[in-house]
Amino acid sequence: MIKRLKLFFLLAITIIICCGISLILIETVTAKQPVISHPLTALTEAEIKTAVALIRKEKSLTDMAAFPLITLAEPDKQEVRNFTQGQSFERKAFLVVYERAQNKTYEGIVDLKTQKIASWQEKPHVQPAIFNSEYELARNVVKSDSRWQEAMKKRGITDFDQVQVSCWAAGILSQEEAATGGRLCRTLLFYRGERWNYYGSPIEGVIATVDLNKGTVTNFIDQGIVPISKENWNYDLQSLGKLLSPPKLLQILQPKGKSFQIQGNEVTWQGWKFRYVMHPRDGLVLYQVNCKDGGNVRPVLYRASLSEMVVPYGDPDPTWSFRNAFDVGEYNLGLLASTMELGKEIPQNGVLFDAVFANEEGEPYVMPGVVGIYERDNGILWKHYEYNTQRNDVRRDRQLVITITAAVDNYDYGINWIFHQDGTLEVENDLTGIVLVQGTEAETQPEDNFYGRLLAKNIFGVNHQHFFNYRLDMDVDGQANNVMEMNVASLPIGKNNPIGNAIVVKDTPLKTEKAAVRDLDIKHSREWMIANADKKNALGVAPAYMLMPGGNTVFFPVEGAKIRQKAEFATHHVWVTRYKPHELYAGGDYPNQAPPGKGLPEYIADDESLMGQDIVLWYTMGITHVPKPEDWPVMPVHKLGFKLSPRGFFSRNPAINLPE
């Protein structure tokens, strides 16, 4: 009997221990799964697998089917605005599927709760963004082409493995190319040799166009031999030799912890509250940007993101004139995000977050450390020194930055959203990386080549531009908004201005979509306000947020230029549209090989009223880059941005009551 009791006791203990271990294991696994507590939570790995499995099960996809894009199908805006914690909400995945064998593109929406396909449609005559396997496919096709091999041998290159082949979207198509409907890319060449920085050794004048469906070279250009730079442009410490004296150690410490709080994908800091998602195409997207004013939480933006960008090169040579990269829509900028490191891209006091993406096979993967959030000091926020009393009141300016970096072939971009304590939201783009250079015989600046500047012997930097368009779904104090243009002017000398010093300001409502296609005017200090249509502040003025442009330029391709027709969004600085959930991209949904007139020109064609509407502000900013030797071999960062600043939104300086 005692033995039986002992056995029973040991068995019971074993069961309890095993159950405890099982519970611990279950808790550990559960803890690793993202909590989907809000409609704007990014897709999880499990949800991506579910969506792809349903598509493969229900649709007869071939073995060559690819998934260039898988992301959250954004829920209805009103449902998100009305959502309260604990409510049920929809979960849907949006997928782009490309069938190479058929050269067909499909869009699908999968309901992840019912596990059914909610929508499936073919998108005729469009090409999705270039995806990963196509880069290797293009390289293999080109290197197998006899014309290409002969061109390399003429240049003394017999080891083809030493040639780096870079695959670019086809850009501007000829009529013949457009008529074929094929999926095309063009290949740029660089000689690697003993150097890992092959961008310093372009193989000039040789361009192959590849049909990615057929796996053939459809067009080949060889304009003759141009010298290849033999200099070593590696920039690792060993290659650079003698280094500059380093500055003394600078530490950024927050011994009492960080001032921001993060719950899921919601960030709270100094009165600001917003959500963020890493989108495979758009990159970093902000949602539901709200600002606290006393006891009230007031909306400013519903959704904000980089919509599109274009980089037109200014050399008319046929081996260069096609180079007009749409880095968001042709390459999926979000998927090109690079892993960052503390103390490098962001300071040591920052925090890094991963993102879940899907590869072209539809398999989810985690990209580590692609989103960074940190606080930084920015000098003086406000100050006044009173001479009579020697009273000195001053507050330091603290900013919150959420950032990503992306490497698009030779260029690197940083996208920074900066939150200020005075209610301002700022966008700052960092442009760096390696200039796309042209091989040349010249060793000194040629007098007859005005298309750029010599950077080093045999290396020429072609004039080009970078244009970024931001889509800003404004909800200033609510969805009913107006857009106003502010112009400042001088009065002529006369009765009302006897000594000529009068400065007047005029606010003009932009009532329709076509009327709201506008440009900067430095002569009139032109800015734009998004104002609430229903409310007035204590001074009887509508609370507003003002678009304050920073540096900018004009689009230089002339009227009639093919790239001007394709990138029409870049030909004006400001566009305003009435909100439609499917209108997300200034250059159209599928800019790769797209015909002209897509995107914003289509969105404003119906010229809808903007008065008292839910409106979307689109801002285009650009730089004109005339390269210089100091940009070589890696460009120092050039910054470009704009601000959204409160105007009559608060009753006073919202940072006046900050403690010292």
Side-chain angles (χ1 to χ4, degrees):
M1 183 69 181
I2 293 173
K3 287 183 178 180
R4 286 181 180 178
L5 286 171
K6 283 183 178 179
L7 286 171
F8 178 78
F9 180 71
L10 288 171
L11 181 61
I13 293 218
T14 303
I15 291 170
I16 290 169
I17 291 171
C18 289
C19 287
I21 292 171
S22 298
L23 285 170
I24 291 169
L25 289 173
I26 291 169
E27 287 175 2
T28 303
V29 172
T30 304
K32 290 182 179 179
Q33 300 303 312
V35 177
I36 306 172
S37 59
H38 191 275
L40 292 174
T41 304
L43 292 181
T44 65
E45 292 180 79
E47 288 177 321
I48 291 171
K49 289 179 180 178
T50 298
V52 172
L54 281 166
I55 293 290
R56 290 194 181 279
K57 178 183 177 183
E58 298 294 330
K59 302 298 174 181
S60 53
L61 303 183
T62 68
D63 293 339
M64 297 178 69
F67 295 82
L69 185 74
I70 301 176
T71 189
L72 176 71
E74 293 190 13
D76 178 77
K77 180 176 178 178
Q78 290 306 123
E79 291 184 14
V80 175
R81 283 172 53 87
N82 297 331
F83 173 77
T84 57
Q85 205 63 43
Q87 281 184 333
S88 62
F89 51 88
E90 67 177 35
R91 291 292 287 173
K92 293 180 180 178
F94 173 79
L95 306 92
V96 175
V97 181
Y98 180 67
E99 279 283 17
R100 186 186 304 286
Q102 305 164 11
N103 191 24
K104 290 184 177 181
T105 302
Y106 299 88
E107 288 182 356
I109 295 178
V110 172
D111 190 317
L112 295 164
K113 286 195 170 182
T114 63
Q115 299 207 357
K116 292 182 179 179
I117 298 176
S119 173
W120 178 261
Q121 58 178 327
E122 182 184 347
K123 305 295 290 185
H125 313 302
V126 302
Q127 294 292 338
I130 302 288
F131 47 89
N132 194 50
S133 66
E134 293 182 312
Y135 295 100
E136 187 62 30
L137 171 62
R139 293 186 190 105
N140 293 335
V141 169
V142 167
K143 289 188 176 183
S144 300
D145 186 87
S146 59
R147 293 167 294 178
W148 184 89
Q149 293 177 354
E150 185 61 30
M152 294 304 101
K153 290 175 184 176
K154 283 196 305 184
R155 289 160 174 81
I157 300 172
T158 55
D159 182 359
F160 301 149
D161 289 338
Q162 294 301 317
V163 179
Q164 177 69 26
V165 180
S166 181
C167 172
W168 276 47
I172 303 300
L173 303 181
S174 67
Q175 289 185 345
E176 295 76 17
E177 289 172 333
T180 66
R183 183 167 171 81
L184 306 176
C185 76
R186 307 197 200 273
T187 55
L188 282 57
L189 307 177
F190 303 89
Y191 184 66
R192 187 183 292 110
E194 301 298 322
R195 302 174 290 276
W196 53 263
N197 180 17
Y198 51 82
Y199 289 113
S201 302
I203 302 174
E204 196 58 45
V206 181
I207 296 290
T209 301
V210 176
D211 187 316
L212 294 166
N213 302 123
K214 298 177 181 178
T216 59
V217 174
T218 62
N219 186 46
F220 184 78
I221 298 174
D222 183 355
Q223 295 184 323
I225 298 173
V226 177
I228 300 172
S229 174
K230 295 181 172 59
E231 292 190 49
N232 182 357
W233 293 110
N234 290 354
Y235 46 88
D236 57 282
L237 298 183
Q238 185 176 355
S239 298
L240 292 172
K242 187 177 180 180
L243 302 179
L244 299 173
S245 299
K248 301 296 184 182
L249 178 66
L250 174 66
Q251 290 184 318
I252 303 171
L253 303 174
Q254 290 186 283
K256 295 184 179 180
K258 306 180 192 314
S259 303
F260 57 90
Q261 296 81 44
I262 300 179
Q263 185 171 2
N265 67 339
E266 184 181 65
V267 181
T268 305
W269 177 83
Q270 292 287 287
W272 288 101
K273 182 177 286 188
F274 64 93
R275 293 184 179 273
Y276 77 90
V277 167
M278 267 300 287
H279 191 285
R281 174 172 175 166
D282 306 23
L284 184 60
V285 182
L286 303 188
Y287 294 95
Q288 293 187 294
V289 178
N290 298 325
C291 195
K292 192 173 183 182
D293 179 19
N296 299 319
V297 177
R298 304 170 67 185
V300 176
L301 277 161
Y302 177 74
R303 187 187 193 274
S305 67
L306 174 62
S307 164
E308 190 53 88
M309 58 181 293
V310 63
V311 187
Y313 283 83
D315 191 323
D317 186 281
T319 64
W320 277 82
S321 57
F322 73 87
R323 305 185 195 199
N324 301 287
F326 285 67
D327 287 337
V328 175
E330 288 182 335
Y331 301 100
N332 282 335
L333 183 84
L335 295 179
L336 300 177
S338 49
T339 295
M340 298 183 287
E341 298 179 61
L342 295 179
K344 293 187 176 180
E345 291 87 351
I346 73 170
Q348 289 285 359
N349 64 317
V351 181
L352 291 169
F353 295 92
D354 304 340
V356 174
F357 292 133
N359 62 22
E360 66 204 65
E361 286 80 30
E363 301 165 340
Y365 65 96
V366 176
M367 178 72 83
V370 293
V371 178
I373 304 179
Y374 63 95
E375 294 176 86
R376 71 183 184 191
D377 180 86
N378 192 51
I380 295 174
L381 176 61
W382 60 261
K383 168 187 168 71
H384 179 64
Y385 177 79
E386 177 55 56
Y387 282 100
N388 294 326
T389 62
Q390 297 187 5
R391 178 187 175 93
N392 185 37
D393 290 287
V394 62
R395 300 292 187 274
R396 296 293 298 177
D397 185 11
R398 182 77 63 88
Q399 297 177 342
L400 180 75
V401 183
I402 180 166
T403 184
I404 65 168
T405 60
V408 188
D409 204 6
N410 54 298
Y411 261 104
D412 293 73
Y413 298 98
I415 309 297
N416 306 283
W417 293 87
I418 305 165
F419 292 83
H420 297 240
Q421 291 167 303
D422 66 357
T424 297
L425 175 58
E426 182 178 1
V427 170
E428 185 177 75
N429 287 0
D430 297 331
L431 287 72
T432 182
I434 301 177
V435 177
L436 185 68
V437 294
Q438 187 179 84
T440 177
E441 294 180 354
E443 296 187 358
T444 59
Q445 177 64 38
E447 295 182 1
D448 59 346
N449 190 340
F450 305 103
Y451 303 126
R453 292 289 186 271
L454 200 69
L455 304 186
K457 290 181 180 180
N458 307 126
I459 295 177
F460 191 77
V462 175
N463 301 331
H464 60 281
Q465 296 185 286
H466 299 256
F467 277 87
F468 304 83
N469 180 275
Y470 277 85
R471 181 185 183 273
L472 307 164
D473 180 0
M474 306 295 295
D475 281 358
V476 179
D477 252 352
Q479 287 180 276
N481 286 175
N482 294 326
V483 57
M484 309 289 290
E485 181 175 282
M486 185 188 79
N487 286 282
V488 181
S490 303
L491 286 182
I493 292 179
K495 180 181 178 180
N496 294 328
N497 189 24
I499 64 171
N501 67 310
I503 301 173
V504 296
V505 62
K506 183 179 180 181
D507 295 338
T508 304
L510 303 178
K511 296 181 179 180
T512 67
E513 291 177 321
K514 289 185 178 179
V517 180
R518 306 295 292 165
D519 290 304
L520 296 178
D521 185 352
I522 192 171
K523 291 182 179 179
H524 292 96
S525 193
R526 183 173 292 166
E527 296 178 332
W528 294 268
M529 292 175 290
I530 306 301
N532 189 278
D534 300 328
K535 299 176 183 177
K536 302 290 184 184
N537 60 23
L539 304 177
V541 178
Y545 258 75
M546 175 164 280
L547 171 64
M548 301 178 67
N552 214 323
T553 188
V554 296
F555 200 63
F556 278 115
V558 298
E559 292 289 343
K562 298 294 185 183
I563 184 56
R564 191 176 184 91
Q565 297 167 2
K566 185 176 178 182
E568 194 168 343
F569 72 86
T571 63
H572 295 285
H573 299 121
V574 168
W575 306 65
V576 187
T577 60
R578 189 188 290 193
Y579 170 79
K580 290 185 175 67
H582 61 278
E583 294 180 351
L584 292 173
Y585 301 111
D589 293 344
Y590 295 94
N592 187 15
Q593 300 182 209
K598 296 297 182 181
L600 279 170
E602 293 179 310
Y603 302 164
I604 69 166
D606 53 4
D607 198 22
E608 290 187 289
S609 170
L610 298 174
M611 300 301 292
Q613 300 296 325
D614 186 358
I615 59 178
V616 178
L617 174 64
W618 308 73
Y619 178 61
T620 302
M621 61 182 184
I623 67 160
T624 301
H625 187 185
V626 179
K628 59 185 189 294
E630 290 84 356
D631 293 333
W632 190 253
V634 178
M635 253 174 66
V637 164
H638 181 94
K639 294 184 180 294
L640 182 69
F642 65 93
K643 294 179 180 179
L644 292 171
S645 184
R647 190 171 188 87
F649 191 83
F650 300 100
S651 60
R652 62 175 186 176
N653 177 354
I656 195 69
N657 55 347
L658 275 174
E660 290 188 288

